[in-house]
Each structure stands twice: as structure tokens, then as C-alpha cells.
Amino acid sequence: MEENCIFCKIARGDIPSATLYEDEDLRVILDLGPASKGHALVIPKKHAANLFELPDETAQKAIVVAKRVAAKLKEGLHADGLNLVQNNGAAAGQTVDHFHIHLIPRYEGDTVNVGWTPGELNDADKEEILELFR
Ligand code: AMP
Ligand code: ZN
């Protein structure tokens, strides 16, 4: 529990939320500023600022819960698709520094924007990146 972390307080139940699922490790709530109908957040109860601080065990549990809740949202709301979005760092759009996974149901013709303009993979970048993993 981090002092002044809103998602710690929500995950622990100190601040009420529209909870879709809860277990001893995770809470799934409706986002208060939804990108689309059904936009939900998977939030671990134990504070981790981002993906890089998240214990492997919590990461495993979070993705399984995300999968289950995503399936129920998609079916129950008759969505046509669904994005999982997970932001790390302000440069990546993270505004709440407590790890969370967005579940964003998508509907044909909606105006949700989670896209980018494709670039082109150049040889120098490709070599530099492949070298990191050799
Ligand atoms: P991110 O930009 O990835 O850090 O996402 C933070 C998300 O948390 C945004 O989609 C906000 O709408 C949402 N959010 C912030 N405060 C609350 C809150 N008190 N209850 C529910 N959702 C929240
Ligand atoms: Zn927190």
C-alpha cells in the first residue's frame, strides 16, 4: 500500500468502485472515464508502479483474469472486438502510477483511438535490437 495511491485505495476497497471481479490478489473495476462501453481496469491489490515492478506471479494472475473478464464483457455487451492496453510511464500515456491493464471493448465504427501510424523497420534499428537479445 502506497500512501496517496488512488488505485491502492480502490483495490483495497477503501474507496468504493464499480467492481466486476475481486479475489485476494486483484480487483477489476469500471473505468470512470471510459473509452467505450464496458471499459474496465484490472488492478493488483499489492502496489507495483508499472510492468517493470510487477512480480511475475501477479503478472500471470492478472493476464488470466483479464482474459476471463474480457470474454464476459465482449459477449455480454455484444462487442465486436476488444483491446488490452497497458501503459508504462508518462511517455506511454500512464497517468496512474499503479500497474493496471485496460480492457476496452470495441464496436464497429466506434471512435476509440489506440492506434499508431506504421513506420518502417530499418536495418540499423533491427541490428541494434537483435543484438540486445543475443
Ligand atoms: P492510464 O492512463 O493508463 O494510467 O489509465 C488510468 C485510467 O484510470 C484512466 O482511464 C482513468 O479514466 C482511470 N481512472 C482514474 N481514476 C479513476 C477512479 N477513481 N476510478 C476509476 N477509474 C479511474
Ligand atoms: Zn498503488
Side-chain angles (χ1 to χ4, degrees):
M1 166 78 183
E2 284 273 306
E3 210 59 37
N4 298 323
C5 173
I6 180 123
F7 280 8
C8 277
K9 292 174 185 162
I10 289 172
R12 288 199 327 179
D14 293 350
I15 294 177
S17 62
T19 293
L20 307 182
Y21 173 87
E22 182 185 5
D23 63 26
E24 61 178 357
D25 301 301
L26 299 158
R27 184 185 290 270
V28 184
I29 68 167
L30 288 179
D31 195 297
L32 277 187
S36 68
K37 184 177 178 182
H39 183 170
L41 303 170
V42 179
I43 305 175
K45 292 190 172 178
K46 189 160 176 284
H47 184 85
N50 51 46
L51 181 68
F52 311 109
E53 290 188 4
L54 194 69
D56 287 355
E57 194 187 343
T58 313
Q60 288 167 351
K61 288 174 174 166
I63 197 68
V64 170
V65 165
K67 180 185 168 189
R68 286 193 195 132
V69 176
K72 188 154 179 177
L73 282 170
K74 184 172 179 292
E75 187 184 344
L77 296 176
H78 310 292
D80 301 303
L82 187 142
N83 292 111
L84 288 196
V85 175
Q86 200 281 303
N87 301 323
N88 298 283
Q94 186 175 14
T95 59
V96 178
D97 287 333
H98 177 130
F99 175 90
H100 51 282
I101 302 171
H102 295 262
L103 309 180
I104 305 176
R106 299 298 302 273
Y107 304 90
E108 289 294 347
D110 70 27
T111 56
V112 177
N113 182 10
V114 289
W116 56 85
T117 306
E120 206 168 308
L121 180 61
N122 64 60
D123 288 343
D125 284 355
K126 185 168 75 179
E127 271 315 303
E128 178 187 351
I129 298 157
L130 286 172
E131 187 59 30
L132 288 176
F133 290 86
R134 279 180 188 130

